[in-house]
Amino acid sequence: MIIILLVFIGIIFEGLGVWFLLFEEGYYKLLFFIFHGLASGIVTVPFYILLPEKYKHPKKFSYTALFLAVFIAPVLGFFFTTAVLILLRNQKKLPYIAMETVPVFHLIDEKIQTKKRTFGESSIREFVLRKNIPSTLRLRAFMFLTEMRSPESVKLLRHGLTDNNDEIRLLAFSYIDKVEKKLSEQIHFYIEKLKEDLDKKEKGRIYTELAKLYWEIIYIGMADKEITEFYLSESERYALLAKENQDNPYIDLLLGRIYLKKRELDKSLNHLKKALESNIPEFKVAPYLAEIFFLKGEFNKIKEIMNKYSYLKYDPSFYPVAVLWEEG
C-alpha cells in the first residue's frame, strides 16, 4: 500500500512540475526543478523497494543510480525505470548447484585444451633413426614431422629418403618435393613480376620477398651443400637491392643473419645493430648478437646481453643458453 501511495504522490508532484513549464516567467522554471526533484526523490523509494535484492547493494550506489535515472529525463525517466524494474524482476533464476556436485575435472577437460605427448616419453628423433622400432610407429613419426616446417623436421625427413621402408621413403620424398616445388614457384612468380614496369616501393617489396624465399630454402635445410652458397648469394643480392629501394629494418635483420651464416661477423654485427636501433623487438636480434660475440671470443659482451635482456631466459628454445651465461 505504501508503494502505491508514494508512486501516486510522485506522479502528482511531477505533473505539477510539468504544468509550471507552461508559464514563461523564470521563477516557474525554478518551481519545475523543485517539484521534479521532489517527485524523483519520492518515487525512488518504491523503486528501490521493488528492486531485486542482489541489485540493492551497495545501498547508496543503487539509490543514487535510480534517482538519476528518474531525474535526468523528466517524465520519460519514470517509464524507463519502471520498464527496467519489470525486466530485472522477471529474470529467470538459475538453479543453485552445490559446489561438491560441480563436475570440475570434466569442465577442465572440455574447456581447457592440453597438448598431450604424441609419442610418450621418447624423442621423435629416436622413432625416425632407430630401425628396430615397429614400422607403424616410425611411419606415424614421419607423418608428424610433415606437419612441422623447421630445420630439424626437414633434416630428419631427409633420413627417410634412404629408409628401407617404402612408405616412409615415399612420404619423405613427396613432402620434400612439395616444399621445394612451392618455394620454386614463388621465386619464379616474383622474378617474372620484376619484368613489369614497377615503382620503387613495389620493387623493394618484391626484392624483399625474393631475399626471404632464398633464405628460407637455406634456413629449413632444403638446399644441398653444393648449391647452398648460390642460394646464400642470391638472398644477399636481393636483400641489398631491397635495401636500396625501401627503408625496412627487417632487411637489416635478414642481412645480419646472412652474413652470420657466411661468417662475415663484422658485416653481420653492423646490420644487426642497425636493426636493433630501429624498434625491432629486441628478442629477435639479441640471440644473433650473442652468437657473434661468442664466435669472436668476446664472452663478457655475451654476459652483458644476457643481463640486459634477462627476459630471454623465458624463451624455451633459448633458456639453456641464457642460464649458462647469466651472471649469478
Side-chain angles (χ1 to χ4, degrees), residues 301-315:
K301 290 186 178 180
I302 298 176
K303 289 185 178 181
E304 288 176 14
I305 289 174
M306 296 306 158
N307 291 327
K308 186 176 181 180
Y309 309 114
S310 57
Y311 55 81
L312 285 172
K313 65 183 177 182
Y314 298 112
D315 180 354

Side-chain angles (χ1 to χ4, degrees), residues 36-38 40-41 44 62-72:
H36 174 58
L38 288 170
S40 299
T44 298
S62 300
Y63 197 94
T64 304
L66 285 170
F67 175 81
L68 290 174
V70 177
F71 183 81
I72 289 172

Side-chain angles (χ1 to χ4, degrees), residues 70-89:
V70 177
F71 183 81
I72 289 172
V75 182
L76 292 176
F78 283 73
F79 295 103
F80 172 78
T81 309
T82 303
V84 171
L85 278 172
I86 292 170
L87 289 172
L88 292 176
R89 289 183 65 84

